[in-house]
Amino acid sequence: MTFRTAVQDVLDPAQRREEALAGYDVLGNAPQRELQALVDIAAQVCAVPRAAINIITSTQQQQIATTGFAASICAREDSMCAAVLEHTDRVVVPDASLDTRFSENPFVTGILGSVRFYASAPLTTPDGVIIGRLCVFDSQPRELAEAQEDALTAIAERVVDVLELRLRTRELEDSLATLTQTRDELHRSNEALSVFAGQVSHDLRTPLTAIMASTEMLGQQPAVSGDVWSERLVATAHRSATRMAGMIEQILAHAQVGAELHRADTDLGLVLASVLEDLAPTLEARAASVAVGELPTLPADEQQLYSVMLNLVSNAVKYARPDVAPVVEVTAERRGERWRLSVHDNGIGISAADRDRVFGLFNRVETSVDGSGIGLATVKRIIEAHDGTIGISSPEGPGTVVWFELPAHAPGQMAPAPPPATLDAPDTGHDD
């Protein structure tokens, strides 16, 4: 049972009807063209000169579409449809002047009309609330065939379908407007965050640069270099300032993700080649080897994907097992309209329980290795800004596989045909 249903169960029928009518917004604002077509069909099917869609409120009957006469409003106590409003099935009366429910009604007696034949079907909402009736009538007594009665009921159901469709369309439009507003606010928030991070980084860099320069010069002074304890304190201060400068740069990079992407055809093979060139001193110092498979060209922001590959490869090298030379393999696999890239290492690995957590800002699993906990959070933001996904999986044997998937074609473009053959790559997935 939904909350809406639970609330309706404690309301009386009149309250439920008023609530339903308010939701449909049908009084004075009905979808005229669609309802007119249905009421015309009802009159034709039943072979009568007049028909009406009557909405019943607590005080009135309001006709929102009619055939054979002009729509009007009358008091509820004068309404023939109100007299049988709670009937959940069709009502067919060959001669209303002989029916005790209607014989004294002013639409039958001649005061407001001279109705003899009357038939109607309920307008029942999906929640079981009767909001009015579709009626057909004539000044002459007549009968309806069973097929005509069935058709009258079916047309009444279509009237409610029209009202429901308009209600759901309006709700969808409201939701879309809310989502659009949320998106715009998020965009403004990202821009404000980027500006704020840039300003803070600038304000912090100036004194930090002075500290780094001062500690470096201080360490060269004879009074410091000649005293082991003083030299150690100054060196520690200089390293801490340098590490803080690096963290500021990382925070700024993280804040700037989400700005407008500069998509272009990006050869990931060339991007990775630049990464390996920049990491060459680290790779050589750690005796690391990197094997690279054939990588695709994708519509992406080249500079941001450089940051992704730099983080993933440097992590793969940094989180090596003690006394084991790092071995890294970078591969790609076409999966429908997406490419999956995998960075597989032979390092210390990441437990299944930590694989989602490592992508959170400042979350670190392995604290024995220097890091800020910003790198993988930034990588995740970059991949998601490209409409991609990222994850971690376990390879056979030691290590970790970090993988990410990106669209093979730009938004709004047809997917290019996949290459005739692709190399299989294991499911992949790392920590910063």
Side-chain angles (χ1 to χ4, degrees), residues 391-413:
I392 297 175
S393 59
S394 295
E396 293 183 6
T400 301
V401 182
V402 181
W403 57 264
F404 62 88
E405 291 186 358
L406 293 175
H409 58 282
Q413 293 183 357

Side-chain angles (χ1 to χ4, degrees), residues 304-316:
Q304 293 199 21
L305 285 194
Y306 170 87
S307 297
V308 169
M309 300 304 296
L310 179 66
N311 269 281
L312 297 186
V313 174
S314 62
N315 277 354

Side-chain angles (χ1 to χ4, degrees), residues 262-318:
H262 301 287
R263 292 182 188 265
D265 287 342
T266 300
D267 187 333
L268 292 187
L270 295 179
V271 171
L272 184 57
S274 298
V275 168
L276 296 180
E277 182 179 353
D278 293 342
L279 289 178
T282 301
L283 298 177
E284 183 177 352
R286 294 176 178 258
S289 61
V290 181
V292 181
E294 185 175 350
L295 303 184
T297 296
L298 299 173
D301 187 309
E302 180 177 346
Q303 187 58 44
Q304 293 199 21
L305 285 194
Y306 170 87
S307 297
V308 169
M309 300 304 296
L310 179 66
N311 269 281
L312 297 186
V313 174
S314 62
N315 277 354
V317 174
K318 181 165 59 174

Side-chain angles (χ1 to χ4, degrees), residues 42-85:
Q44 292 173 8
V45 167
C46 295
V48 296
R50 292 179 286 278
I53 298 174
N54 292 327
I55 299 299
I56 309 298
T57 72
S58 59
T59 59
Q60 295 178 329
Q61 168 185 281
Q62 181 166 328
Q63 294 166 336
I64 59 174
T66 60
T67 291
F69 66 103
S72 63
I73 299 174
C74 72
R76 177 177 174 131
E77 56 267 25
D78 293 336
S79 166
M80 296 179 69
C81 285
V84 293
L85 180 61

Side-chain angles (χ1 to χ4, degrees), residues 286 318-320 322 348 364-371 431:
R286 294 176 178 258
K318 181 165 59 174
Y319 292 94
I348 59 178
R364 301 189 64 230
V365 174
E366 180 54 56
T367 57
S368 62
V369 180
D370 286 342
D431 170 45

